[in-house]
Amino acid sequence: MRKRGILITGAAGEIGDSLIRSLSDQGETQIVTLDLRPLPPENAKLSTHIQGDLMDQALLARLVSEYEIATIYHLAALLSTRAEFSPEMAHQVNVEGTLHLLRLASEQSQWRGEPVLFLFPSSIAAYGMPNLETKAQYPRVREWEWNYPTTMYGCNKLYCEMLGIYYSQYFRQLAADRPVTLDFRALRFPGLISAFTVPSGGTSDYGPEMLHYAAKGEAYAAFVREDTCIPFMAMPDAVTALLKLAAVPARALSRRVYNVTSFSLTAAEFGEMVQRFFPQAQITFKPDLKRQGIVDSWPAGLNDNDARRDWGWKPTYDLERSFSEYLVPNISQRYQPA
Ligand code: AKB
């Protein structure tokens, strides 16, 4: 008899770190995690961890022979900056890895006679604003606007959203007896900021890096101009959004891909916020023109009206609360000498 479980890929990453704890608090009995890396000990206690490669088909086959997977949180990805250095590897992990899992979810849905729920974190990187004038003219983009990503990661995210929709709605559309297919749902996240993990390989990383360096008492040179503006969200809200979207009945959803956001601010304003809580922080701005180009192509804000209307999305942590109640206390504690 197979055990029923929730699968989290990329579980050792930033979202996975918080998601495992929240799912475990919700009393989810069997959380199965998959990552190339081991989990930190406190999360390893909460799940059954498989250290392995998403691209390993034999491993996935073994996984479904042991577990009946009802829900998948597919978090594994190479982020935007890293993906530009190894675009083909990024394509392999971000697209082929997703395809493997969509296939697995599809087969499982058919086998169970009930759709497997497939949650996919997408990103502001799916957008591509052609220049700063346009970015200023469209400060809160809708899901269907400016879908012209300029990075491999952004292309991967946008295409995987489409693949997810394809597998949910059109897979085997010509078959006489069309089988039950999966239920794909995606969130386009802004830059995420966690108090418990330091990001790596992303291009929105300058925000969280300012905070983590300040708390460590180290100087930090942000790789963007002071006027650079993108949206951000505190990690607990990202996890809440994923769990809320997972819980909502399919009939309430008018789309499969939703924008969600919390607050937008410039890099200078981010720095001022950090300085307010860490007056000793030494923050300077030394733009890296190439990474700057990527952030400039991302929108300054997202319009998340559809998520608010369809499933009651609302961030709990605005800018002030993110810093004063979540980020600053937890990051300060993290770097306190033992
Ligand atoms: C990145 O910077 O690549 C990610 C993202 C915005 O999706 N944090």
Side-chain angles (χ1 to χ4, degrees):
M1 179 78 174
R2 297 189 308 164
K3 293 163 265 182
R4 204 181 151 100
I6 287 187
L7 173 65
I8 308 178
T9 71
E14 287 212 284
I15 304 179
D17 183 75
S18 297
L19 181 64
I20 293 170
R21 276 179 273 138
S22 297
L23 283 170
S24 162
D25 288 347
Q26 276 190 354
E28 285 300 343
T29 42
Q30 190 71 57
I31 303 170
V32 184
T33 52
L34 175 64
D35 202 297
L36 284 172
R37 297 165 289 175
L39 289 185
E42 57 286 7
N43 280 352
K45 285 189 286 208
L46 308 176
S47 72
T48 303
H49 186 54
I50 301 167
Q51 197 171 335
D53 193 343
L54 179 59
M55 308 303 290
D56 182 345
Q57 302 268 24
L59 186 143
L60 293 185
R62 272 205 312 281
L63 190 114
V64 293
S65 70
E66 253 188 82
Y67 296 97
E68 182 196 330
I69 303 293
T71 307
I72 298 176
Y73 291 87
H74 176 38
L75 312 179
L78 249 63
L79 297 186
S80 53
T81 292
R82 178 127 184 256
E84 287 312 297
F85 287 105
S86 326
E88 285 180 20
M89 186 168 117
H91 189 276
Q92 238 173 45
V93 175
N94 296 351
V95 176
E96 286 169 44
T98 304
L99 189 66
H100 287 177
L101 269 190
L102 286 169
R103 192 187 302 128
L104 178 149
S106 204
E107 286 162 6
Q108 289 291 298
S109 302
Q110 209 171 324
W111 187 88
R112 299 169 74 230
E114 207 184 315
V116 168
L117 193 54
F118 194 111
L119 275 298
F120 182 70
S122 187
S123 160
I124 41 168
Y127 295 102
M129 314 301 289
N131 50 49
L132 289 176
E133 293 71 46
T134 314
K135 178 164 168 160
Q137 215 181 330
Y138 294 87
R140 287 178 75 233
V141 296
R142 300 300 307 253
E143 284 86 350
W144 56 88
E145 294 176 318
W146 304 106
N147 288 176
Y148 310 115
T150 64
T151 59
M152 176 54 101
Y153 170 73
C155 292
N156 296 164
K157 286 292 184 191
L158 187 60
Y159 176 55
C160 286
E161 290 175 4
M162 290 176 180
L163 277 180
I165 293 170
Y166 169 78
Y167 269 91
S168 291
Q169 291 174 207
Y170 307 109
F171 182 59
R172 303 208 42 209
Q173 56 191 306
L174 299 184
D177 52 342
R178 199 168 167 255
V180 173
T181 56
L182 57 98
D183 181 353
F184 176 86
R185 303 175 184 192
L187 288 172
R188 286 204 187 138
F189 281 125
L192 299 179
I193 322 170
S194 170
F196 301 105
T197 52
V198 187
S200 90
T203 321
S204 61
D205 294 2
Y206 62 89
E209 281 173 357
M210 278 190 210
L211 259 163
H212 283 267
Y213 276 71
K216 278 191 280 186
E218 291 176 15
Y220 179 70
F223 54 82
V224 291
R225 288 186 319 267
E226 287 168 74
D227 67 331
T228 307
C229 186
I230 58 166
F232 284 97
M233 181 184 285
M235 191 58 81
D237 271 340
V239 170
T240 301
L242 278 168
L243 297 177
K244 242 176 138 38
L245 181 60
V248 79
R251 65 177 180 282
L253 303 179
S254 63
R255 35 187 331 107
R256 291 198 176 271
V257 178
Y258 285 93
N259 280 346
V260 282
T261 191
S262 183
F263 50 86
S264 289
L265 77 178
T266 64
E269 288 163 342
F270 204 116
E272 282 158 23
M273 239 6 227
V274 173
Q275 205 94 46
R276 197 177 111 201
F277 289 97
F278 297 99
Q280 315 303 331
Q282 296 169 57
I283 299 168
T284 50
F285 294 86
K286 202 163 166 257
D288 167 332
L289 292 185
K290 294 184 178 135
R291 291 181 97 184
Q292 180 73 57
I294 293 178
V295 194
D296 283 344
S297 78
W298 292 348
L302 299 174
N303 181 324
D304 57 7
N305 286 358
D306 283 4
R308 287 172 186 258
R309 184 200 58 223
D310 288 358
W311 44 277
W313 157 249
K314 195 171 183 288
T316 313
Y317 292 89
D318 61 7
L319 174 63
E320 185 62 36
R321 201 165 164 227
S322 294
F323 272 73
S324 62
E325 291 184 30
Y326 166 66
L327 293 167
V328 174
N330 289 309
I331 294 184
S332 305
Q333 198 180 0
R334 175 186 163 109
Y335 296 111
Q336 229 154 47

